[in-house]
Amino acid sequence: MGYAKVLSVGLAGVAGHVVEVEADLAPGLPAVLISGLPDTALHEARDRVRAAIVNSGQKWPNRRITLNLLPATLPKYGSAFDLALAVAVLAGSGELPPVALDATVILGELGLDGAVRPVRGTLPMVAAAARAGYARVVVPAGNAAEAAVIPGVRVHAVDTLHRLVAHVRDGTPLLAPPEPAPVAVPPGPDLLDVAGQPLGRRAIEIAAAGGHHLALLGPPGAGKTMLAERLPSILPELDDEAALEVTALHSIAGLLPPGGGLLRRPPFQAPHHTATVPALVGGGSGLARPGAVSLAHRGVLFLDEAPEYGKGALEALRQPLESGVVRVARTRGATEYPARTQLVLAANPCPCAKPSGDADCECTPLARRRYLGRLSGPLLDRVDVQVRLPPVRAAELLRTDAPHESSAAVAARVVEARRAAADRWTPTGHRVNADVPGPHLRRPPWHLPARVTRELRRRLDTGSLSARGYDRVLRVSWTIADLDGRDRPDEHDIAEAIQLRTGEGT
Ligand SMILES: [Zn+2]
């Protein structure tokens, strides 16, 4: 009887796979069966597709309809298959010529009225179609701009099922994607705005150059948030591969800014301390939404008032920070999203959030230790740079005469330092100093002469520095040398690196 096959794409993490959508129409009791590991939303597709077809003025075939999505092994989530299912049904029943949309990948959710609605993840889905060799895609008009980012693909946009049917029947043109306009990205916060705080400025420069996680400890008003927000402005712009990954993750989250284009600036995410675990690491029904840790991929994840986050939240962040990948549990298996992010923790020295030594602060030393202790173990262990920022006096903040550097000037040094590190570590598979395991730095050819590490070893012997702390100081000292254009750290670099670990948890 009637059979038709059209193409769509399913997502597994950020990777898309071309999916064949088959419709088989057989005589028998009218019914619709969907097979091929569909989730609930896909079952609901049956009702949407039928209503959309009828409300677009087309005939719903009163036959036994089997819809199948291949490969069956690929879990399929969400509503992006609706439009392909509708086309398969119409082609199978002879309403549409069977070859019209051959080799065309079709994406889109259907409203009951036949409107084609935007779907999350269009960009990585179109990228998958292009990689699989398909040069033509039909996407919802609302997603056309992001689809057009992928080179080598002709993008056709549709706003209704009716428009697609008319196009196939009599060649009515589909909608063209919007011209890729150079999107004016508003400049982010700049270091020019930060007066004073030389220690804080130095700390974020070193964190940026070495890819080190950073903890900023200090009283309210010390400028912790100001500094953290400016870290992306001194990180290198995202290269093509990174920009595609980051833009794909934001596409899956449905958070792309209108106007299209790849996201080139390292992202900055600052989830509130009341954020749920799914909001931090990803989750939700249907196509899993990436959490803050993935939306901060290749950028910065800022946890302000870090000790206020729930124990579960901090615990949930540990695995992604360790592996650079987050696994979001699904009913069938798990979805993996990249999560290689630079962590910035900010914390007040004590729970009352008054400057330490302030007359109003009544916190006991124990209460203070406990407060920061919430961060130790899981997270603080991974933080190479931990600084205590002094309160900034109003007079210092308001000074306009003192020259301070712009983000661009600092970023130029960061790029050079990163290049030096990349050249050194490429043979070992590492890119930034923060990635290099401690033992590696303690062995030839990278171990430092005894004269340079004397103070470090003294602290290790007296117990004022742990073995992990020792390695973190070594890593940071390499970054300091890279920033200064020298090929090895000396005792002064070690001394500064030790200074950058005066925070709790050494
Ligand atoms: Zn206090």
Side-chain angles (χ1 to χ4, degrees), residues 197-240:
Q197 210 49 279
L199 179 61
R201 293 179 72 106
R202 180 70 173 154
I204 66 166
E205 178 170 341
I206 290 170
H212 305 286
H213 297 320
L214 171 67
L216 300 170
L217 308 174
K224 303 185 296 283
T225 303
M226 266 191 116
L227 288 163
E229 283 172 345
R230 282 157 181 78
L231 179 53
S233 72
I234 59 171
L235 291 172
E237 196 173 73
L238 303 178
D239 61 23
D240 287 349

Side-chain angles (χ1 to χ4, degrees), residues 350-354 361-363 368:
C350 74
C352 79
K354 303 239 168 60
C361 168
E362 290 176 356
C363 303
R368 291 183 182 197

Side-chain angles (χ1 to χ4, degrees), residues 334-386:
T335 299
E336 285 194 349
Y337 289 128
R340 191 126 53 86
T341 185
Q342 199 168 348
L343 180 69
V344 179
L345 301 170
N348 296 312
C350 74
C352 79
K354 303 239 168 60
S356 41
D358 189 289
D360 295 338
C361 168
E362 290 176 356
C363 303
T364 61
L366 179 64
R368 291 183 182 197
R369 263 205 312 282
R370 275 217 188 113
Y371 189 62
L372 288 176
R374 293 186 204 169
L375 294 180
S376 64
L379 287 188
L380 222 44
D381 261 0
R382 328 201 59 78
V383 179
D384 288 343
V385 180
Q386 304 177 13

